[in-house]
Amino acid sequence: MMYTVYVLHSPVYDKIYIGYTGNLANRLLSHNELSTKGWTVRYRPWDLLHHEEYTSKAEAMKRERELKSAQGRVFIRGLLV
């Protein structure tokens, strides 16, 4: 199984969301349509800004933590320019 670390951007609210999943298509559907509660529901619609694939859950979780760091946020904001 492959794991995907993904970065979502809400252009309407200029918000960033970082997560990981084993099924990116279903997760995007959940963030944009299916979920009825949670933080991401408030800032819809979400665009997929960036994604990376990993072979293990541990690697994906490590990269997610890196992207949530100050340096990771600088990298992500750089993608928006």
Side-chain angles (χ1 to χ4, degrees), residues 7-77:
V7 179
L8 302 179
H9 177 246
S10 169
V12 175
Y13 299 96
D14 195 31
K15 295 286 186 183
I16 298 290
Y17 180 84
I18 303 161
Y20 73 92
T21 183
N23 187 328
L24 185 58
N26 280 355
R27 196 71 185 114
L28 291 174
L29 188 64
S30 177
H31 283 304
N32 277 318
E33 296 176 31
L34 300 178
S35 291
T36 57
K37 59 184 177 180
W39 188 81
T40 60
V41 171
R42 283 180 256 167
Y43 301 107
R44 288 176 176 166
W46 293 96
D47 295 332
L48 181 63
L49 179 63
H50 180 74
H51 69 282
E52 303 169 4
E53 290 194 349
Y54 294 91
T55 54
S56 77
K57 185 176 180 179
E59 287 177 301
M61 291 172 72
K62 180 181 177 205
R63 181 59 175 152
E64 180 193 27
R65 280 192 304 275
E66 288 171 1
L67 289 174
K68 287 181 175 181
S69 72
Q71 282 186 316
R73 298 266 176 188
V74 169
F75 166 76
I76 291 165
R77 284 289 169 187

